[in-house]
Amino acid sequence: MTTLLPDFPTRGSAVPGTVYLVGAGPGDPELLTLRALRIIAEADVLVYDNLVSQPILDQVNPHAERLYAGKERGNHAVPQDDLNLLLVKLARQNKRVVRLKGGDPYTFGRGGEEVETLKENGIPFEVVPGITAAAGVAAFAGIPLTHRNYAQACVFVTGHLKDGSMNLDWPGLARRRQTVIIYMGLHGLSHLCAQLVAHGLPPDWPAAIVQQGTTPEQRTVTGTLATLPALAEAAQLKAPTLIIVGEVVRLKDRLAWFEKG
Ligand code: SAH
């Protein structure tokens, strides 16, 4: 691939025997980094999960072997331990191995676990950051993560349910002047909203949920902690979805530019 930055000393081509943990961004292929685009075009083998969109898979070397690692809710095609070892095995076959993940590999992506196994086995690796869902959704939904008048802090949490509840620091989350971003939270949305109110946020506190951010299927539902669960249910949203709680949600009416209708 010819370099897009001819005068810039780049990190060079993908090296055989190396594993590249690459962030694919939130969906829109133009949100790939130049590094990601180059590395996926040079891959010998691609290990990808369900969050990676088709237009991005279309950018991968057409001759690369493709291995699907799953990761839909409750359906992990390959258990994480086996996946970590698979990367080691492929690298030892002297391949350019690309582990492609939605968003950013080090944000709720288990990238740290994969790299630990690579390190333990002496496999060279590189991590290519990606635009995490929160950043992509903020930009494309018109909801800034921070704003001088509304939020001086922003927290990212996982809303994954374990035994029907979320093990989160509720007093820390139920604070004013902060934005809370919940990944993997759709199935726990009512629990989440109820807990935030129980820990002190007002029921009319703004909240939004965004489906498939940055893609043509993006849809945003806005409401309050009291109304969002029912509104989201009625809208029959499709995964992946990101939840945003905080006063920055009010800015959407003025700042939205991408979504039609
Ligand atoms: N590493 C990824 C997150 C993986 S966890 C990242 O940095 O973005 C998977 C969760 O990410 C989904 O359940 C959803 O909450 C969120 N997500 C990923 N892509 C998204 C998108 N395009 N729109 C909305 N949410 C998204």
Side-chain angles (χ1 to χ4, degrees):
M1 179 189 167
T2 54
T3 174
L4 293 163
L5 300 170
D7 300 325
F8 191 76
T10 65
R11 300 183 52 74
S13 291
V15 177
T18 302
V19 175
Y20 294 85
L21 251 79
V22 179
D28 180 342
E30 285 198 281
L31 297 179
L32 282 167
T33 62
L34 296 181
R35 184 72 181 150
L37 189 61
R38 172 185 203 148
I39 295 294
I40 66 177
E42 295 175 347
D44 294 318
V45 50
L46 174 79
V47 182
Y48 66 102
D49 59 39
N50 72 307
L51 273 183
V52 179
S53 69
Q54 190 57 46
I56 288 173
L57 293 175
D58 292 345
Q59 304 306 312
V60 174
N61 173 9
H63 305 297
E65 183 188 348
R66 291 169 191 235
L67 303 172
Y68 176 62
K71 291 278 169 82
E72 282 134 278
R73 188 170 175 272
N75 169 25
H76 289 209
V78 183
Q80 187 70 42
D81 291 348
D82 297 357
L83 188 60
N84 299 351
L85 292 171
L86 174 68
L87 298 176
V88 171
K89 189 176 116 191
L90 294 167
R92 289 204 171 128
Q93 294 167 359
N94 209 34
K95 290 176 172 153
R96 299 172 186 89
V97 184
V98 172
R99 173 73 179 106
L100 189 60
K101 292 168 171 289
D104 175 67
Y106 275 0
T107 307
F108 303 121
R110 304 190 75 166
E113 295 164 51
E114 290 171 18
V115 164
E116 267 183 84
T117 307
L118 297 173
K119 189 94 201 171
E120 281 161 18
N121 287 274
I123 304 293
F125 64 87
E126 179 182 323
V127 182
V128 181
I131 294 185
T132 192
V137 162
F140 278 58
I143 304 177
L145 299 178
T146 64
H147 185 284
R148 271 206 296 174
N149 301 341
Y150 301 112
Q152 281 75 44
C154 176
V155 206
F156 295 179
V157 297
T158 163
H160 192 70
L161 287 172
K162 210 174 172 195
D163 305 325
S165 77
M166 294 174 195
N167 186 14
L168 295 173
D169 167 20
W170 296 112
L173 296 181
R175 286 201 183 127
R176 289 163 192 267
R177 307 197 72 75
Q178 117 178 324
T179 305
V180 184
I181 302 291
I182 303 96
Y183 286 72
M184 297 171 274
L186 179 62
H187 292 271
L189 181 60
S190 333
H191 177 72
L192 172 88
C193 292
Q195 287 293 327
L196 291 174
V197 172
H199 286 83
L201 285 178
D204 65 353
W205 194 247
I209 182 162
V210 183
Q211 122 178 345
Q212 300 175 332
T214 80
T215 76
E217 285 73 44
Q218 178 177 312
R219 272 172 75 202
T220 305
V221 176
T222 50
T224 64
L225 290 176
T227 63
L228 194 65
L231 293 172
E233 169 124 40
Q236 299 193 321
L237 299 176
K238 293 195 188 73
T241 58
L242 193 79
I243 302 163
I244 305 176
V245 176
E247 287 188 296
V248 288
V249 169
R250 295 192 209 284
L251 292 162
K252 175 187 164 274
D253 289 343
R254 274 184 286 143
L255 305 188
W257 57 273
F258 173 69
E259 233 167 289
K260 305 280 178 291

